Amino acid sequence: MSKLCGWMPEDAGEMMQTLRYVVFRDVLLAMRRRADVATTLFFFVIVASLFPLGVGPEPKLLRAMAPGILWVAALLASMLSLGRLFAEDYADGSLEQLVLVPEPLALVVIGKVVAHWLVSGLPLVLISPVIALQFDLPRDAIVTLLLALLLGTPLLSLIGAIGAALTVGVRGGGVLISLLVLPLYVPVLIFGAGAVDASAMGMDASGHLSILGALLLLGMVLAPWATAAALRISLE
Amino acid sequence: MLEVSSLGCLRGERRLFAGVSFSLRPGGLIWIQGGNGSGKTTLLRTLCGLTHAMAGEVRWSGTPIQLLGEEYRRELTYIGHANGLKEDLSAQENLLVAAHLVGQPVSRAEVAGALQGSGLAGREHLAVKFLSQGQRRRVTLARLRLMPPRTLWLLDEPFNALDTHAVAGMRKIMENHLSQGGMIALTTHQDVAIQAADVQTLRLDA
Amino acid sequence: MKLNWFKYASPVTFYPLAGKLIPWFALAAAILTVAGLYISFFVAPTDFQQGESYRIIFIHVPAAWMSMFIYIVMAGWAAAGLIFNTRLSSMMASALAPTGALFTFIALWTGALWGKPTWGAWWVWDARLTSELILLFLYMGFLALHAAIDDPRRADRASAVLALVGVVNVPIIYFSVKWWNTLHQGASVSMTMAPKMAATMLLGMLIMALACWMYSIAAALMRLRCIILEREQQAEWVANLAKEPT
């Protein structure tokens, strides 16, 4: 805990302080439960490894399918961890306290999304090159995959937070989240996998990455507000 | 000053209560009483701004709380039915994070002092999941020892699971808060005599 | 005397108004459907490229139009309910959703029926069909969320947020799917009309579209009346209504 006080700059604005403490709190909690973080990661690895077993070990086919497989696995893994984003805080009453924080709720949401990405998105990005090697992707394509996941996974967390907030405290919320969120993930999947595809075929992927970046910006602006509105409604 | 005028709330399509009016001045205490399901928690949550009222409004110094937003939230401390503690964090971490989140930087020594005052000395570093229900409630209530500048306390069954000793300690803190011009709205099933200049009672199922 | 528009924003006054309107819209829908189908099947000329199978577009295209249009209208009502806290607008949104989902399903189904003779497969990952499929998922999400929340007010507000998020996403999804399709398949036979469409074809399609409009309004109003009764079952006027001989 001594880290806690040294980690905060003294002159940080109150808003930044709240934001940082939300991130800190959630990351600290995740570190206390490392098994949960590992579960998401292994889910990603296992789903990606199941496809060759399903479609056969033909390297050419696998190479062609790799971008799509990796992205679908990333989508599912990111969605799997969404259930925890607000549900536990709701159950133990700390979500009410977070809503009563004297800062805009969207700020708290941003903090929680950042923490969610650090805990469930970033590890996935880091391990993806290893999975890509299993599918024999060329080196350029692996670099593109890393960049695309780096831009795409925060977007998945942002969009997913809306679904998680809407289903807080709803029975069967876990299954419902997938129904709400997966259709909204479609553009991320198309441009993310498209970038890797283009790169694997020796084409320029910067167009795809730019669109992903633009979508990420749009998501950063709009998703926290929608999530905040959804949280207020769910807590009523 | 907190003013509540002809407040009405629904649960689902059923009316919980209607026409609730009162005002709370500095140093004032209001007991919200009523049987189970009479809407005590809903009323407190409405006072927090967590639940929207179907009728009437809640004003703080003359302005509806929806318009005040963060400004109003800066004035209040809400202790809900649930403790709002993270099981995997220790009592000290819970309090430190909670205080920093609401923009009240406290030192570890202050937190340790508050926990000691709540009779939790020696258990500061134990994860909350190893504490008993009564001890968890004490950790939650220790927030009140840490955050004196907040004027309005909204407490939902604060004495639940507490032993008589802890109840007496809490009573003293609440009396102290009231004597300094604070305001308290609370629900409780227990009979605790709190000394205050201005004590009101509100029965919801009347 | 000033006309009070807000008078009809209350379920109590809207319920009888809706009851009076429904027969007219239903009648219009029936007449227009008969006229539209007659033109589509007997008057419109046979297409020289696609033969008779093209005639499914007289149902397919209006259904696809309606599916997208209803989603936007539904989101509009939901937003109004969220912002102005008018209960009738939220009820309107949930009354529209099943009709929208139905048209989406019809568009997909007729698309498959058209695809078999034209493309040789029931399903082709054509940009329009794929977007339409995702639109169906969005409708399903709206309906599922609304059904999963017990408190009707919370259900209204939560699904309103979802509808608004969906409406922001629909164009993004549509363009990304379209872009994905051109990249992977090149130009395929699309369901767009030939530029020189016969005037009777256009007429048939417009009449069918109008029929779909009338049907949607009638169906939504009927569903709305049911929702009003369900929500207001404890109100006095509903009790009086039940006593009245019909």
Side-chain angles (χ1 to χ4, degrees):
Chain A
M1 206 61 201
S2 58
K3 278 181 294 176
L4 182 59
C5 299
W7 184 69
M8 291 300 307
E10 297 282 315
D11 57 334
E14 241 175 68
M15 268 177 141
M16 281 315 283
Q17 168 164 322
T18 304
L19 182 66
R20 284 181 195 203
Y21 265 92
V22 175
V23 178
F24 175 81
R25 167 189 182 271
D26 278 26
V27 172
L28 184 69
L29 279 168
M31 287 302 109
R32 293 282 154 88
R33 286 203 181 173
R34 285 186 210 101
D36 286 356
V37 180
T39 311
T40 312
L41 197 58
F42 281 115
F43 178 82
F44 174 61
V45 175
I46 290 173
V47 168
S49 310
L50 282 179
F51 277 89
L53 298 174
V55 299
E58 172 60 38
K60 236 174 119 184
L61 178 68
L62 286 181
R63 213 175 300 138
M65 286 180 67
I69 292 172
L70 283 166
W71 267 96
V72 169
L75 244 64
L76 294 177
S78 154
M79 200 195 64
L80 194 71
S81 56
L82 282 177
R84 287 198 300 272
L85 188 54
F86 298 116
E88 283 178 9
D89 286 347
Y90 176 74
D92 65 22
S94 48
L95 193 57
E96 284 179 346
Q97 298 296 340
L98 283 175
V99 172
L100 290 176
V101 161
E103 300 294 343
L105 183 54
L107 191 79
V108 175
V109 168
I110 292 172
K112 289 202 70 91
V113 169
V114 169
H116 179 260
W117 180 73
L118 284 175
V119 170
S120 68
L122 187 61
L124 210 131
V125 178
L126 295 178
I127 206 162
S128 62
V130 182
I131 316 286
L133 286 177
Q134 279 192 321
F135 289 89
D136 193 29
L137 275 183
R139 213 191 57 180
D140 284 355
I142 295 183
V143 175
T144 312
L145 174 71
L146 262 178
L147 285 174
L149 280 174
L150 215 49
L151 288 170
T153 45
L155 192 52
L156 297 182
S157 295
L158 281 166
I159 299 172
I162 305 174
L166 285 171
T167 52
V168 157
V170 173
R171 66 194 136 78
V175 189
L176 191 57
I177 274 194
S178 50
L179 193 57
L180 304 187
V181 160
L182 284 179
L184 302 177
Y185 278 175
V186 167
V188 188
L189 173 66
I190 288 177
F191 290 107
V196 186
D197 237 358
S199 185
M201 289 189 285
M203 290 187 293
D204 184 23
S206 58
H208 304 72
L209 293 177
S210 313
I211 295 176
L212 265 184
L215 289 177
L216 177 60
L217 281 178
L218 191 70
M220 272 158 63
V221 174
L222 297 180
W225 295 105
T227 311
L231 271 184
R232 282 191 200 288
I233 292 165
S234 297
L235 271 180
E236 259 192 30
Chain B
M1 192 170 98
L2 185 74
E3 286 165 290
V4 173
S5 54
S6 50
L7 202 65
C9 273
L10 300 171
R11 178 177 296 145
E13 295 292 318
R14 196 175 67 82
R15 201 174 75 178
L16 267 181
F17 54 82
V20 168
S21 303
F22 63 87
S23 62
L24 205 53
R25 271 167 245 286
L29 169 94
I30 185 159
W31 289 77
I32 299 160
Q33 297 178 341
N36 297 63
S38 60
K40 299 190 296 288
T41 298
T42 308
L43 176 57
L44 275 188
R45 286 171 55 91
T46 311
L47 296 184
C48 289
L50 284 170
T51 303
H52 281 281
M54 286 324 292
E57 61 177 1
V58 182
R59 286 185 303 274
W60 177 256
S61 326
T63 319
I65 57 169
Q66 275 76 20
L67 299 179
L68 286 172
E70 287 122 47
E71 214 176 305
Y72 175 63
R73 277 182 262 151
R74 221 176 290 275
E75 299 287 342
L76 88 134
T77 297
Y78 170 65
I79 305 260
H81 218 79
N83 283 322
L85 299 172
K86 299 312 290 184
E87 298 230 309
D88 292 314
L89 301 185
S90 71
Q92 188 170 42
E93 288 166 332
N94 260 303
L95 286 180
L96 266 176
V97 168
H100 277 92
L101 277 180
V102 298
Q104 200 136 49
V106 289
S107 70
R108 300 174 67 207
E110 284 172 286
V111 171
L115 283 170
Q116 215 156 39
S118 310
L120 288 162
R123 293 195 175 76
E124 298 96 332
H125 300 291
L126 209 57
V128 165
K129 61 184 162 203
F130 299 120
L131 298 180
S132 75
Q133 281 306 323
Q135 286 172 323
R136 289 179 195 203
R137 200 64 183 160
R138 289 184 191 208
V139 177
T140 307
L141 292 170
R143 283 178 52 203
L144 298 176
R145 296 174 192 261
L146 272 178
M147 304 174 188
R150 300 185 162 236
T151 34
L152 177 63
W153 290 0
L154 303 167
L155 312 175
D156 195 0
E157 298 287 348
F159 305 121
N160 254 14
L162 291 186
D163 57 28
T164 44
H165 185 67
V167 170
M170 259 330 289
R171 206 190 69 197
K172 207 167 285 169
I173 289 175
M174 285 157 75
E175 282 170 359
N176 190 30
H177 177 64
L178 290 169
S179 69
Q180 287 174 355
M183 291 168 238
I184 300 179
L186 84 159
T187 70
T188 178
H189 284 114
Q190 268 145 303
D191 204 20
V192 182
I194 298 168
Q195 302 297 318
D198 174 20
V199 181
Q200 307 171 56
T201 348
L202 178 74
R203 282 210 67 86
L204 281 183
D205 46 3
Chain C
M1 199 186 86
K2 216 176 126 202
L3 192 63
N4 185 6
W5 287 104
F6 284 99
K7 189 184 155 205
Y8 290 110
S10 128
V12 191
T13 42
F14 192 79
Y15 183 84
L17 177 70
K20 275 180 218 140
L21 290 176
I22 289 169
W24 296 103
F25 283 110
L27 188 69
I31 293 169
L32 285 167
T33 308
V34 171
L37 286 180
Y38 180 77
I39 293 174
S40 330
F41 283 98
F42 301 107
V43 182
T46 308
D47 188 84
F48 76 97
Q49 264 184 327
Q50 299 172 26
E52 300 294 344
S53 66
Y54 92 96
R55 291 187 195 275
I56 196 94
I57 62 159
F58 288 112
I59 296 168
H60 174 84
V61 172
W65 284 347
M66 289 313 287
S67 67
M68 284 180 252
F69 183 70
I70 289 180
Y71 194 88
I72 294 167
V73 173
M74 181 184 87
W77 282 116
L82 199 61
I83 296 164
F84 304 114
N85 207 9
T86 43
R87 289 152 62 216
L88 195 64
S89 333
S90 305
M91 292 181 194
M92 197 70 190
S94 35
L96 277 167
T99 307
L102 176 72
F103 277 119
T104 318
F105 180 73
I106 290 175
L108 284 171
W109 191 24
T110 50
L113 286 179
W114 182 82
K116 187 63 181 166
T118 316
W119 288 324
W122 293 111
W123 182 263
V124 171
W125 291 93
D126 164 75
R128 281 151 200 264
L129 278 180
T130 312
S131 319
E132 199 69 16
L133 183 66
I134 295 167
L135 186 65
L136 183 67
F137 294 159
L138 290 178
Y139 272 118
M140 290 302 157
F142 182 92
L143 289 168
L145 183 66
H146 204 284
I149 303 176
D150 293 321
D151 180 10
R153 264 157 229 277
R154 192 191 145 187
D156 280 344
R157 292 157 61 83
S159 36
V161 170
L162 185 69
L164 286 178
V165 171
V167 123
V168 172
N169 267 277
V170 161
I172 300 177
I173 292 173
Y174 179 72
F175 285 112
S176 58
V177 168
K178 202 172 164 185
W179 179 87
W180 159 82
N181 186 255
T182 49
L183 188 83
H184 285 269
Q185 285 194 332
S188 60
V189 188
S190 80
M191 297 187 87
T192 32
M193 296 296 95
K196 278 176 284 169
M197 194 166 50
T200 41
M201 286 190 192
L202 191 67
L203 183 72
M205 205 176 290
L206 286 178
I207 291 177
M208 282 308 287
L210 262 177
C212 289
W213 266 75
M214 294 301 128
Y215 164 77
S216 302
I217 295 173
L221 286 180
M222 278 169 83
R223 211 171 283 118
L224 185 65
R225 268 165 66 97
C226 292
I227 295 173
I228 290 176
L229 282 188
E230 201 184 321
R231 299 275 185 93
E232 303 264 306
Q233 52 184 312
Q234 303 199 327
E236 209 174 313
W237 69 271
V238 177
N240 293 338
L241 201 72
K243 277 180 221 147
E244 267 172 36
T246 40

